[in-house]
Amino acid sequence: MNVVLMLEMHPQYQEMIYEEIQKICPNIDEGVTTEHLKELFFTEQCIKESMRLIPTVPLTSRLATEDFYVAGCEVVVSLYELHRNKKVWGNDANTYNPDHFLLERFEKQHPYSYIPYSTGLRNCIG
């Protein structure tokens, strides 16, 4: 639902997704295959950017297993804050920008800079 909201707020991207779908799936009435979905790169960028700005899971927690300041405490991670951290995402961290997920840009980021469903052993498989 948040993806629809973000695209409504940014119609230029909504139009770009429409054009991509028309290009990749010209005969959409015949069905969409897994292969089609793999080619919807810009659509995926927009979905990820929506989840970055409005995470489905806003907080997660973990038990500290090693000393860092205080061992044995539970650490709460705000995904909302992490996904808007300007040190990670740049000065436009609070702006809807699907280019945050361009492959050449995103692959340079820390693997835990974007964790919309948490990560690790307790990762949501949804």
Side-chain angles (χ1 to χ4, degrees):
M1 191 62 152
N2 293 332
V3 176
V4 174
L5 171 66
M6 295 308 279
L7 291 175
E8 180 63 27
M9 293 171 61
H10 302 90
Q12 71 275 25
Y13 298 125
Q14 184 180 36
E15 183 62 28
M16 291 169 72
I17 286 175
Y18 177 77
E19 291 170 6
E20 181 180 58
I21 291 170
Q22 291 298 310
K23 179 182 172 191
I24 303 299
C25 311
N27 301 316
I28 201 163
D29 293 337
E30 295 175 14
V32 177
T33 68
T34 303
E35 295 306 312
H36 288 128
L37 296 176
K38 289 178 184 178
E39 295 181 44
L40 296 174
F41 298 112
F42 185 72
T43 301
E44 183 177 352
Q45 286 175 236
C46 289
I47 292 168
K48 286 181 175 180
E49 181 68 353
S50 298
M51 292 189 329
R52 182 184 73 83
L53 289 174
I54 310 172
T56 305
V57 180
L59 296 171
T60 188
S61 65
R62 294 291 183 268
L63 180 66
T65 58
E66 297 178 17
D67 291 348
F68 66 102
Y69 289 110
V70 180
C73 68
E74 191 167 347
V75 179
V76 176
V77 179
S78 169
L79 302 185
Y80 182 88
E81 293 295 325
L82 171 65
H83 291 170
R84 292 170 181 258
N85 185 326
K86 290 184 180 183
K87 290 179 184 175
V88 176
W89 296 97
N91 290 331
D92 66 343
N94 291 310
T95 304
Y96 186 85
N97 180 2
D99 286 350
H100 284 129
F101 291 94
L102 286 170
L103 184 59
E104 60 271 12
R105 180 175 176 178
F106 187 67
E107 66 185 9
K108 294 176 185 174
Q109 292 203 187
H110 191 281
Y112 293 111
S113 64
Y114 174 70
I115 49 174
Y117 296 106
S118 186
T119 191
L121 295 175
R122 305 243 185 246
N123 184 24
C124 174
I125 60 171

